[in-house]
Amino acid sequence: MLRNDVIDRGTRGQTPALNTRADEAFLDYISDMRNTLMHGTHKRVEEQSAAALEKAGLTENLWPDRVYDMRTTMTDVPEVASWLRAKRSLQEAYWQTIVDSYSSRQDEFLHMLEVSDSEGPGSVHWDPDFKYPDYATVDIHIQPGGYVADPLCGLHYDYGTKVFFGGMNDGDALHAKMCGKTAIPKDGQVNRAMDIGCAIGQFSCALKRRFPDAEVWGMDIGAPMVRYAHSRAAKQGLDVNFAQMASEKLNSPDNHFDLVTAHLLFHELPEPIIKQTIAEVYRVLRPGGTFVLWDFPSDAAADGRFSGFMRYMDAADNGEPYSCEFVSCDVETLIPQAGFILRYDDLDDIARHGRIGDKPEQRT
Ligand SMILES: C[S@@+](CC[C@H](N)C(=O)[O-])C[C@H]1O[C@@H](n2cnc3c(N)ncnc32)[C@H](O)[C@@H]1O
């Protein structure tokens, strides 16, 4: 039921429009400002940072021991300090605007989730008594309530990532592109696919579109995420199943899936959980099945200069507490240690590297 002063303004792509045109215009402005920062002025900030580090003699093997020296040196350059401050302020502003704007339609959105819980196509499974591990309860990316504390956090995340991607993921275009180049088992068989850390199901839906005859599952630790993911997929007429599950403790049979994907999940996991997750993925994949992990380049920190610093800043100032652990945990070693045969994709992409783990036909 809408309040008298609240208008349903339709959708922007798959995403419900904000409550007022003014809110939307403000977020369009923020999105453009982020694009300017991330793609327009980034190079100059990088050059200035490199020059300041050079001048201070901070050039090699800085990660992680000398990160505070790097921070002091780089933030002494006014342009770099303002750039970092602006990035943080934009992040804070867009999340708060989204939460505030949708809040006046809260009852309507909660009702939408309740109804869609029991409607198809596809399904959703979640546990109202699920006990979240502490690591999963942080306000990740500075999103108020993170992925678990607000029943509408899936909705907030939908608009938030629209802003974050600066228009590049409209129509879930990035997910479709990444899914399109995701490796599959060498025998070409994809009858069952699972997307872990699926959030609002954008990659899971892309999997269903690519493999329409396959049974596709999206798993996420956050009940609000899988509920919203199901509602979003069902609106698109897609028969995808979503379930609340921790990637380190998958409630799935052994040797069951042909393909398991994790797109931008691992940098949000503490290192012990990364190891358990890789072992679980190995368990649930059938012999000859394939695991595809898309995430930040893990050598970003190791180069010790601007990119390492940025990862650190992401952790310290942008609500990404585990991303440093991810980039320094050497996931390329952990995957074969779990029994996989490792191959790679897209090592030139600065935002995401593809690590592909094939489960051998027979354990060696
Ligand atoms: C950055 S989002 C991933 C986005 C999504 N895969 C995509 O491509 O849009 C990370 C997601 O991982 C989920 N997550 C975090 N820890 C998890 C865990 N241990 N098991 C399953 N999901 C987890 C979060 O709830 C969140 O929805």
Side-chain angles (χ1 to χ4, degrees):
M1 179 68 76
L2 296 185
R3 275 186 3 212
N4 286 343
D5 56 338
V6 177
I7 302 165
D8 178 350
R9 301 182 57 257
T11 59
R12 296 188 88 185
Q14 299 301 332
T15 315
L18 293 179
N19 210 28
T20 66
R21 175 65 200 133
D23 289 342
E24 243 162 51
F26 180 56
L27 291 201
D28 287 349
Y29 160 77
I30 291 201
S31 185
D32 289 347
M33 286 301 290
R34 267 189 61 84
N35 279 340
T36 305
L37 283 188
M38 305 311 291
H39 309 294
T41 57
H42 180 272
K43 220 52 241 137
R44 181 167 161 77
V45 168
E46 186 168 345
E47 282 161 14
Q48 292 203 337
S49 304
L53 291 172
E54 191 92 41
K55 199 168 160 204
L58 295 168
T59 49
E60 281 172 16
N61 301 325
L62 301 173
W63 184 268
D65 301 341
R66 303 199 61 190
V67 71
Y68 291 102
D69 296 337
M70 288 166 71
R71 181 180 186 142
T72 311
T73 303
M74 287 163 69
T75 52
D76 268 354
V77 181
E79 210 170 312
V80 178
S82 324
W83 189 88
L84 289 165
R85 180 65 249 176
K87 188 164 160 284
R88 164 94 188 192
S89 295
L90 293 176
Q91 187 90 352
E92 287 170 346
Y94 76 72
W95 284 120
Q96 204 51 57
T97 304
I98 291 165
V99 171
D100 291 348
S101 187
Y102 280 138
S103 68
S104 43
R105 292 176 65 195
Q106 178 166 328
D107 293 348
E108 178 204 350
F109 288 124
L110 290 174
H111 181 66
M112 171 191 89
L113 293 179
E114 252 171 66
V115 172
S116 84
D117 273 357
S118 55
E119 285 183 350
S123 62
V124 63
H125 310 265
W126 60 284
D127 174 3
D129 298 321
F130 190 87
K131 297 272 173 290
Y132 289 103
D134 285 348
Y135 76 82
T137 60
V138 295
D139 282 5
I140 203 115
H141 315 132
I142 328 178
Q143 177 174 346
Y147 296 123
V148 303
D150 185 319
L152 293 182
C153 61
L155 171 71
H156 301 154
Y157 178 90
D158 195 355
Y159 212 107
T161 49
K162 173 178 167 50
V163 177
F164 178 85
F165 283 118
M168 285 181 289
N169 198 31
D170 286 359
D172 300 343
L174 280 175
H175 288 92
K177 179 177 141 199
M178 299 310 292
C179 180
K181 58 185 187 181
T182 288
I184 61 169
K186 293 206 165 135
D187 59 16
Q189 291 296 314
V190 181
N191 299 316
R192 293 192 197 110
M194 170 165 72
D195 178 31
I196 54 173
C198 68
I200 58 170
Q202 291 155 298
F203 202 93
S204 326
C205 287
L207 282 171
K208 184 68 189 173
R209 287 199 167 93
R210 181 170 167 197
F211 307 107
D213 297 330
E215 180 183 312
V216 174
W217 285 84
M219 318 288 205
D220 198 281
I221 202 162
M225 303 309 275
V226 288
R227 293 182 76 201
Y228 185 79
H230 167 61
S231 155
R232 196 177 191 273
K235 282 193 185 104
Q236 297 170 70
L238 291 170
D239 176 8
V240 180
N241 304 295
F242 291 95
Q244 180 183 27
M245 232 178 259
S247 59
E248 65 274 26
K249 204 174 167 197
L250 294 169
N251 185 16
S252 307
D254 295 356
N255 304 316
H256 189 70
F257 288 98
D258 304 286
L259 177 66
V260 175
T261 57
H263 182 247
L264 299 178
L265 163 68
F266 271 56
H267 73 274
E268 296 189 353
L269 301 178
E271 186 171 351
I273 306 297
I274 288 178
K275 289 184 182 155
Q276 289 168 32
T277 296
I278 296 172
E280 272 295 82
V281 171
Y282 190 89
R283 180 183 68 74
V284 303
L285 272 172
R286 58 136 169 120
T290 295
F291 171 41
V292 181
L293 160 58
W294 289 108
D295 217 306
F296 300 147
S298 18
D299 59 354
D303 89 357
R305 292 174 51 146
F306 187 70
S307 57
F309 178 74
M310 288 311 293
R311 192 58 54 231
Y312 162 77
M313 287 304 286
D314 224 23
D317 287 353
N318 196 28
E320 286 278 13
Y322 314 114
S323 71
C324 290
E325 281 184 52
F326 171 68
V327 291
S328 37
C329 81
D330 197 5
V331 76
E332 280 77 10
T333 303
L334 297 178
I335 291 173
Q337 264 173 8
F340 288 106
I341 300 161
L342 181 69
R343 35 188 184 123
Y344 291 101
D345 196 0
D346 238 354
L347 293 182
D348 293 336
D349 190 312
I350 55 159
R352 289 178 201 89
H353 283 181
R355 292 84 169 185
I356 302 159
D358 294 308
K359 181 165 173 175
E361 287 293 343
Q362 289 191 326
R363 230 198 203 292
T364 47

